[in-house]
Amino acid sequence: LNHWDNLDRSVERGYAGATTNHIANAAGVSVGSLYQYFPRKEAIAAAMLEDAVFKAGAVLRERMLDCMHTPLEEGIPLIVKAVMELRRANAFFFMGLRREVPGLREGSGNLTIESFMTSTTYAYFQQHHEQIRVPDLDVAITVVKYLVAGAVDFYLEDPSPQLGDEELVAELSNSVLRYLTA
């Protein structure tokens, strides 16, 4: 299907409210054609999640590459801000859809923009190896991924009245920097 954008705009219905008839109509195909590619609605959800991860991962990769020669103190906040923007823009796919679709969370655990970005993150950390004190970069990537994605997701689901986007980005960036450079 090459009509994901039409489907992306119809996510307000949620997984339960989206029938295969609605999905086929939004995609501009017949229900029969839809079933040729996707045997069940869960397969459509998985494909949409994969597409969202790929697109968001490409944007994040570009942002990280733009920061490759930027000092950590400047680059980390830009990257954390990009993660927040991407997770907010794709909240339905990265948080809502995983909760709504039976089995999607377990089956797509490694399908995240952060996992998609492991090699780029590794290269970014290697580029700044003089400043990074965590001896195992694989461990550092995992900790930073959990710290940033977990905090951002929690914040997006339950925004703090005491903390705005800019403050969260600043505090997360400081936490990441202290972890990596202490």
Side-chain angles (χ1 to χ4, degrees):
L1 294 175
N2 55 5
H3 297 288
W4 286 132
D5 293 336
N6 292 338
L7 291 171
D8 289 350
R9 283 187 229 104
S10 65
V11 297
E12 304 86 41
R13 291 175 177 264
Y15 177 76
T19 65
T20 51
N21 285 335
H22 170 76
I23 294 167
N25 185 45
V29 299
S30 71
V31 174
S33 293
L34 184 70
Y35 280 120
Q36 280 183 312
Y37 296 101
F38 303 102
R40 325 176 290 294
K41 193 164 79 165
E42 291 85 1
I44 297 168
M48 290 181 73
L49 174 61
E50 183 178 328
D51 186 63
V53 166
F54 179 76
K55 287 177 181 174
V59 170
L60 187 56
R61 177 173 280 132
E62 275 300 312
R63 300 255 181 105
M64 287 185 81
L65 291 173
D66 290 345
C67 294
M68 196 62 73
H69 298 289
T70 304
L72 279 177
E73 300 79 22
E74 296 172 29
I76 295 289
L78 295 172
I79 294 166
V80 170
K81 182 178 181 185
V83 169
M84 178 180 281
E85 290 169 353
L86 290 165
R87 293 189 84 78
R88 177 176 279 135
N90 294 284
F92 173 76
F93 297 107
F94 299 157
M95 293 180 286
L97 195 59
R98 288 180 194 259
R99 274 194 307 270
E100 290 185 48
V101 179
L104 187 58
R105 182 170 177 84
E106 295 81 23
S108 66
N110 290 327
L111 189 57
T112 65
I113 57 174
E114 296 78 22
S115 295
F116 183 71
M117 296 300 303
T118 300
S119 61
T120 304
T121 305
Y122 192 86
Y124 181 77
F125 285 0
Q126 278 291 107
Q127 179 69 24
H128 299 284
H129 67 90
E130 307 88 27
Q131 290 178 272
I132 294 177
R133 301 291 175 244
V134 179
D136 187 334
L137 289 185
D138 292 324
V139 169
I141 290 169
T142 300
V143 169
V144 170
K145 172 178 72 170
Y146 289 157
L147 174 66
V148 174
V152 167
D153 286 356
F154 189 81
Y155 173 79
L156 292 175
E157 289 185 329
D158 186 24
S160 167
Q162 298 91 7
L163 193 65
D165 288 4
E166 289 180 22
E167 289 120 344
L168 180 66
V169 168
E171 291 300 323
L172 279 174
S173 299
N174 287 334
S175 296
V176 169
L177 282 167
R178 282 193 302 270
Y179 167 69
L180 291 173
T181 62

